[in-house]
Amino acid sequence: MRQPLVAGNWKMNGSAASIDTLMAGLKQGMAEVKTAAVAVCPPFVYISKVAELAKGTKIGVGSQDISDQESGAFTGEVSGPMLKEVGCQYAIVGHSERRAIYGESDAFTARKFAAARKFGLIPILCVGELLEEREQGITEQVVGRQLDAVIELEGIAALGQAVIAYEPVWAIGTGKTASPQQAQDVHAFIRAKLATLDKGVADKVQILYGGSVKGSNAVELFGMPDLDGGLIGGASLTADEFLAICRAPNQS
Ligand code: 13P
């Protein structure tokens, strides 16, 4: 049995004050989260604060990105050892906003994935197609290519110690959720692709869905057989809404 994971990607949102409120709300509601593991991924500058607030709770902490380098003259970058030291367990890599807005390639994402693992963080590898790619019928090709870059660099076994997040780009922040069946189809494709290389890894890896997940659609989405939770953007910024999503696996 794979344990569901619900991770909040706060993106570039929040302030010290709003984070105090959000974390207080989450802490209060965690007792009702029975099944899912929960994590939050704040902006870099707030990670220490959130890790401190999360101490003694079951709320895990992750970063939204990670440098592919360990240390040195890399202005603006934040390394794996730094993230580990301030309390991260997870690092998101290859989010579509990094890929699309900042031009991060599949190969660069794979190097970030490798860095996360090297420094003891669990990578949350984001994959997903653009709207035009879905319309061209090349979703599986795109997602397959994104996975292959990581498998080529790190080997299939590495995915057994990672989390994959399928985030169709057209569903991110748009209010257009993939239907449970659309999501399931891609999740099943990912698992089947990994199974051709290593069935144990395919059975074990958590595959999260991301893209306009809300309290109102999470139960149905997470009820699909290959969905092991979610990577949540906008709805992770308010405690009640995020907790409703975190409770969804209680029922599925
Ligand atoms: P939304 O939940 O705001 O659509 O964002 C999804 C996402 O990009 C999570 O990483």
Side-chain angles (χ1 to χ4, degrees):
M1 254 319 260
R2 296 179 295 267
Q3 186 187 20
L5 169 66
V6 180
N9 173 9
W10 293 355
K11 308 194 179 182
M12 198 171 71
N13 293 293
S15 63
S18 73
I19 287 169
D20 279 334
T21 308
L22 177 51
M23 288 300 290
L26 292 184
K27 278 158 86 167
Q28 217 169 27
M30 280 299 288
E32 301 308 315
V33 177
K34 309 282 187 205
T35 311
V38 172
V40 294
C41 302
F44 286 130
V45 291
Y46 296 121
I47 289 174
S48 294
K49 174 184 173 69
V50 170
E52 195 58 41
L53 292 170
K55 262 196 193 137
T57 76
K58 287 198 199 151
I59 304 170
V61 181
S63 63
Q64 299 175 14
D65 193 14
I66 180 172
S67 176
D68 65 325
Q69 302 290 330
E70 179 168 356
S71 67
F74 302 102
T75 302
E77 292 290 284
V78 179
S79 73
M82 295 173 186
L83 294 170
K84 186 84 185 163
E85 184 169 46
V86 295
C88 283
Q89 292 102 48
Y90 299 94
I92 296 174
V93 300
H95 192 278
S96 67
E97 287 147 20
R98 302 297 323 166
R99 294 178 190 264
I101 305 172
Y102 301 102
E104 297 188 3
S105 66
D106 295 338
F108 190 41
T109 298
R111 290 203 300 276
K112 291 184 172 201
F113 181 101
R117 274 173 39 76
K118 181 169 177 195
F119 300 115
L121 297 159
I122 299 170
I124 301 178
L125 170 67
C126 299
V127 297
E129 80 288 3
L130 304 168
L131 181 59
E132 50 272 33
E133 293 168 333
R134 174 159 286 261
E135 285 170 351
Q136 285 165 37
I138 58 169
T139 296
E140 293 186 358
Q141 226 170 295
V142 170
V143 170
R145 189 199 71 215
Q146 293 168 335
L147 290 169
D148 281 339
V150 170
I151 295 167
E152 275 161 30
L153 187 69
E154 284 285 274
I156 181 68
L159 280 168
Q161 295 145 8
V163 176
I164 297 171
Y166 169 58
E167 300 205 308
V169 180
W170 48 273
I172 295 178
T174 57
K176 274 191 218 157
T177 322
S179 70
Q181 192 58 52
Q182 278 176 320
Q184 166 59 24
D185 288 348
V186 180
H187 284 231
F189 161 74
I190 293 171
R191 214 177 292 284
K193 176 182 167 64
L194 301 184
T196 63
L197 300 168
D198 188 323
K199 174 119 177 31
V201 167
D203 287 342
K204 181 177 167 209
V205 67
Q206 291 157 310
I207 309 178
L208 314 185
Y209 168 77
S212 298
V213 179
K214 301 185 271 292
S216 56
N217 59 21
V219 171
E220 210 191 342
L221 282 162
F222 299 167
M224 302 308 280
D226 286 300
L227 269 72
D228 307 313
L231 184 56
I232 318 301
S236 70
L237 297 173
T238 42
D240 285 353
E241 189 68 21
F242 187 58
L243 285 164
I245 298 167
C246 294
R247 286 192 306 268
N250 293 358
Q251 300 165 48
S252 44

